[in-house]
Amino acid sequence: QPFDLIIRNANVVTASDSFPCDIGVRDGRIATLALALELKSARHEIDAAGRTVTPGGIDSHVHLDQATGDGSIMADDFESGTRSAACGGSTTVIPFACQLKGQSLRAAVDDYQRRAYEKALIDFAIHLIITDPTEDVLYRELPELIAEGYTSFKIYMTYDALKLDDRQILETLSVARAEGAMVMLHAESSDCIAWLTERLLAAGHKAPRYHASSRPMLVEREATHRAIAMAELVDVPILIVHVSGREAMEQIRWAQSQGLKVYAETCPQYLFLTADSLGSDNSFDGAKCICSPPPRDAANQQVIWNGLENGLFEVFSSDHAPFRFDGPDGKKAHGEDVSFDKIANGIPGVETRMALLWSEGVRGGRITPQQFVALTSTNAAKIYGLYPRKGSIAIGADADLVIWDEGRAVHISNEMLHHNVDYTPYAGMQLSAWPAITLSRGEVVWDGEPRGAVGRGQFLPCDSPAPAQVRRRKTELPL
Ligand code: URP
Ligand code: ZN
Ligand code: ZN
Ligand code: ZN
């Protein structure tokens, strides 16, 4: 029986190994890994001689077509967002279905499944965002949805429209524990931010750069500590998303050293941007880099690199939150004269994530190729219940692959990208790698041009993730 595709002479890298081989693909899956498939034939062949082949990226933190409620509109929907992801070497994305206060979780999921319907070019799973944890939501809807494959959800400790109070977080965590779901926490201290913002605005400090002053590291440190304490009390694993620097990392390191299952994610903006990216004067241009937590400084960039290298971080995702700079519905939705607290939070990055880390991390000598694969793909597959279908180059896994082009100068410009945002925070950076070919279930979706039909992407129901399972009770609580 012939293969549909053979990729010959690949230098395969997985999260644990590196080996030369040919990859035989049949029905969208990896059917054979062997040193010499030259006697076999295939309908299609790709010669990858001299090239590294990694698993396709899993971008486990992206916002697509998400309702914001403040007048701004996300620039990427499931079509442009997944196209951009594919062109940057990702073959799976996990966007969010965000519950509105007063809305049922089921209605939120149906809404986002409609937004995704016949649009995605690559496969996707969906995280929930829980903003209204009523009894019915927690004890009826959530267990049902988890059983249907929505096995991870995000909780916010800040943003008035999204945040839960500590009592609600404890109750929600206890349901995650009972049902074996992975909880992602946005850890920033809401009241500290509100108080600082009021003080800054009273002093006339309204330019975009004061966004960073309103969310200093201690605000993230305090919330991270509180999140860890609540997770310890309930005895449930958690994942702290978009960690920006040293202070939050110290809390996570401490928790991990106690044997607590506290996982952590970081993002490109904390490696390549600083608070100075939000502007050194009062110009509105800095709005392009407003995201939360804000990027810090050069010393913290190095600390983040250390955490990627030493295993503190499990996941490297983009937190792609796409808002246009110009136009009536993005960063300028309330005009250019508006105070920093009225500017939409978030930056684009789904397409640049993989190349930034391969170029500056692997080729820059900071992490190994295996660590790159773990951080951009394998660990996310395990943490969110997609492994081993996704996240590995193994027999039976989906043929989701990246064939790398290395050693050639790649100058980042927004024109080369395929998102629907009118800027990239990384414009002007010089990289030494970019995906040459991205394959999704054996189909070319990027080879210098975007390929693959709109709507070919499949919804991926997730298993209950093994890292979310509670093995033994550490504390004696009257639960
Ligand atoms: O500023 C950010 N990160 N916006 C996206 C939403 C979130 O909190 O992840
Ligand atoms: Zn064909
Ligand atoms: Zn967040
Ligand atoms: Zn986010």
Side-chain angles (χ1 to χ4, degrees):
Q1 194 181 358
F3 295 109
D4 300 322
L5 168 71
I6 294 177
I7 301 166
R8 297 196 186 275
N9 308 307
N11 175 28
V12 167
V13 177
T14 68
S16 54
D17 300 296
S18 168
F19 49 89
C21 80
D22 296 348
I23 304 170
V25 176
R26 190 179 293 127
D27 298 330
R29 291 177 179 241
I30 296 171
T32 301
L33 295 169
L35 253 183
L37 290 175
E38 59 264 329
L39 298 180
K40 306 276 179 154
S41 68
R43 277 187 280 279
H44 300 278
E45 300 211 355
I46 295 174
D47 187 3
R51 296 210 155 161
T52 299
V53 178
T54 63
I58 298 174
D59 198 337
S60 57
H61 187 157
V62 303
H63 303 270
L64 300 180
D65 201 10
Q66 196 177 309
T68 58
D70 73 343
S72 58
I73 296 174
M74 289 201 169
D76 284 313
D77 64 5
F78 280 73
E79 180 183 332
S80 63
T82 57
R83 179 183 293 120
S84 184
C87 298
S90 289
T91 49
T92 300
V93 291
I94 317 186
F96 296 87
C98 184
Q99 179 194 26
L100 304 171
K101 288 202 167 146
Q103 189 185 34
S104 77
L105 264 189
R106 175 67 65 186
V109 167
D110 289 349
D111 178 16
Y112 285 87
Q113 285 287 9
R114 265 194 303 276
R115 292 168 192 251
Y117 185 67
E118 293 191 340
K119 284 201 170 170
L121 284 82
I122 57 170
D123 296 347
F124 63 98
I126 292 183
H127 304 295
L128 310 175
I129 293 174
I130 297 177
T131 63
D132 201 354
T134 62
E135 285 238 343
D136 193 50
V137 165
L138 288 186
Y139 295 101
R140 187 183 60 82
E141 293 201 295
L142 193 50
E144 274 178 29
L145 287 164
I146 290 169
E148 291 171 31
Y150 303 89
T151 61
S152 50
F153 52 83
K154 185 173 175 185
I155 294 175
Y156 283 82
M157 299 171 80
T158 189
Y159 297 129
D160 288 338
L162 303 175
K163 72 171 191 228
L164 304 191
D165 65 29
D166 290 356
R167 181 71 177 268
Q168 292 174 314
I169 293 175
L170 287 166
E171 200 61 24
T172 307
L173 287 174
S174 79
V175 175
R177 184 185 197 280
E179 305 293 331
M182 181 59 72
V183 183
M184 312 160 77
L185 274 135
H186 179 128
E188 286 186 298
S189 191
S190 183
D191 285 336
C192 295
I193 294 167
W195 182 80
L196 279 167
T197 300
E198 201 175 279
R199 285 303 186 91
L200 286 161
L201 296 182
H205 298 321
K206 54 189 281 202
R209 65 186 165 120
Y210 294 105
H211 172 78
S213 321
S214 75
R215 308 172 101 98
M217 287 217 286
L218 86 79
V219 159
E220 187 187 9
R221 181 233 300 165
E222 187 280 323
T224 302
H225 179 90
R226 188 154 36 97
I228 290 167
M230 288 190 279
E232 181 178 3
L233 183 61
V234 176
D235 186 32
V236 64
I238 54 168
L239 184 144
I240 309 286
V241 294
H242 46 48
V243 173
S244 74
R246 178 179 55 80
E247 295 198 24
M249 287 172 65
E250 285 169 354
Q251 301 300 316
I252 293 161
R253 172 63 76 209
W254 173 82
Q256 291 174 346
S257 75
Q258 300 300 301
L260 300 174
K261 286 198 191 178
V262 173
Y263 306 105
E265 169 201 81
T266 193
C267 316
Q269 49 269 40
Y270 306 116
L271 292 175
F272 302 109
L273 304 179
T274 66
D276 290 343
S277 311
L278 276 65
S280 50
D281 56 15
N282 291 338
S283 94
F284 193 76
D285 216 52
K288 289 177 181 171
C289 293
I290 284 188
C291 60
S292 295
R296 307 299 180 182
D297 60 16
N300 279 285
Q301 292 179 339
Q302 183 54 51
V303 175
I304 296 281
W305 278 118
N306 296 346
L308 291 170
E309 200 275 328
N310 68 26
L312 182 140
F313 290 113
E314 209 75 22
V315 178
F316 185 75
S317 69
S318 69
D319 193 9
H320 181 78
F323 297 100
R324 294 176 68 84
F325 181 65
D326 285 313
D329 49 24
K331 295 284 186 178
K332 296 180 180 171
H334 302 281
E336 286 190 56
D337 203 35
V338 78
S339 55
F340 64 83
D341 58 315
K342 303 286 192 301
I343 302 170
N345 279 212
I347 61 174
V350 71
E351 192 164 349
T352 40
R353 175 186 72 117
M354 297 280 283
L356 282 168
L357 195 65
W358 186 268
S359 175
E360 304 312 293
V362 177
R363 295 181 56 85
R366 293 174 168 110
I367 58 170
T368 65
Q370 290 80 9
Q371 286 177 308
F372 168 89
V373 171
L375 286 161
T376 57
S377 183
T378 312
N379 292 351
K382 291 179 177 171
I383 272 201
Y384 297 118
L386 292 169
Y387 194 81
R389 175 173 173 192
K390 302 294 190 187
S392 190
I393 298 180
I395 291 168
D398 281 355
D400 288 4
L401 304 162
V402 176
I403 304 174
W404 286 88
D405 181 12
E406 297 182 73
R408 180 174 62 83
V410 179
H411 203 75
I412 299 186
S413 68
N414 197 53
E415 291 64 49
M416 67 186 270
L417 303 179
H418 301 79
H419 59 193
N420 193 30
V421 183
D422 55 356
Y423 74 96
T424 167
Y426 309 106
M429 279 185 71
Q430 183 105 337
L431 303 186
S432 65
W434 198 267
I437 297 177
T438 308
L439 293 140
S440 163
R441 285 180 274 106
E443 240 185 83
V444 174
V445 288
W446 161 255
D447 62 359
E449 289 296 325
R451 313 268 177 207
V454 173
R456 64 170 294 287
Q458 297 175 356
F459 171 64
L460 304 165
C462 297
D463 300 327
S464 174
Q469 307 304 315
V470 179
R471 283 215 194 80
R472 88 194 133 84
R473 176 166 295 285
K474 292 184 68 70
T475 51
E476 283 306 323
L477 280 172
L479 289 176

